[in-house]
Amino acid sequence: MEQPNLSYVESMSGGDKAFEQKLIDIIKKEFPEEKQVYFDNIAAENFKEAAENVHKLKHKISILGLIKSYDVAVSYEHNLIDKSSIGKEDFESILQNMTDFLETI
C-alpha cells in the first residue's frame, strides 16, 4: 500500500513552513470528524450521504500524496452512488493508513 506523504503540501507552500503547518493542522482537525461521519452513514446504510463523505475525503487523500488511493476512492464513490459497497474494505484501509500517518506528524 502506498504511504501518505507531505510532498504535495510542501510543493504548494513554496517553502513556507507556517503555511505547511496550518494546512496540516486543518487536515488533522477535519479528517477524524469527516471519517466518523462517513462511518456513521455507512452503518446506517445511507449510501448517498456516504458517497458525499467519500467525495470530501478524496481531497485529503490527494493532499497526502495518495495517487492510487485517490483512484480507489473515486471508484468506491461511484459504487456508493449505485448503492453498492464494493470497494469498502480498500477505502477503509486507506482511511486507517491516513489516520496512522496523521498521528505521527
Side-chain angles (χ1 to χ4, degrees):
M1 177 176 281
E2 65 186 329
Q3 292 302 308
N5 61 75
L6 298 175
S7 298
Y8 182 71
V9 172
E10 291 165 353
S11 71
M12 283 185 359
S13 74
D16 183 342
K17 295 297 180 191
F19 174 80
E20 288 176 19
Q21 191 58 53
K22 190 177 292 187
L23 186 55
I24 291 166
D25 290 344
I26 290 168
I27 292 169
K28 288 174 91 170
K29 179 186 182 297
E30 291 179 353
F31 176 72
E33 296 167 2
E34 291 174 3
K35 182 176 75 167
Q36 187 58 54
V37 172
Y38 158 77
F39 279 116
D40 292 346
N41 281 319
I42 283 297
E45 296 185 359
N46 294 330
F47 293 106
K48 181 178 184 260
E49 291 85 352
E52 291 170 6
N53 302 141
V54 171
H55 183 79
K56 278 181 145 180
L57 287 160
K58 283 188 322 192
H59 299 292
K60 289 179 178 59
I61 290 169
S62 66
I63 288 171
L64 293 179
L66 298 168
I67 297 164
K68 293 176 185 168
S69 296
Y70 182 88
D71 293 338
V72 170
V74 168
S75 176
Y76 182 48
E77 178 185 4
H78 290 296
N79 290 339
L80 286 170
I81 290 168
D82 293 336
K83 297 186 177 179
S84 167
S85 63
I86 294 172
K88 177 180 182 287
E89 293 81 15
D90 290 338
F91 181 74
E92 291 178 3
S93 291
I94 293 164
L95 295 181
Q96 186 59 54
N97 192 20
M98 292 170 66
T99 299
D100 294 344
F101 176 73
L102 291 171
E103 289 174 353
T104 66
I105 60 171

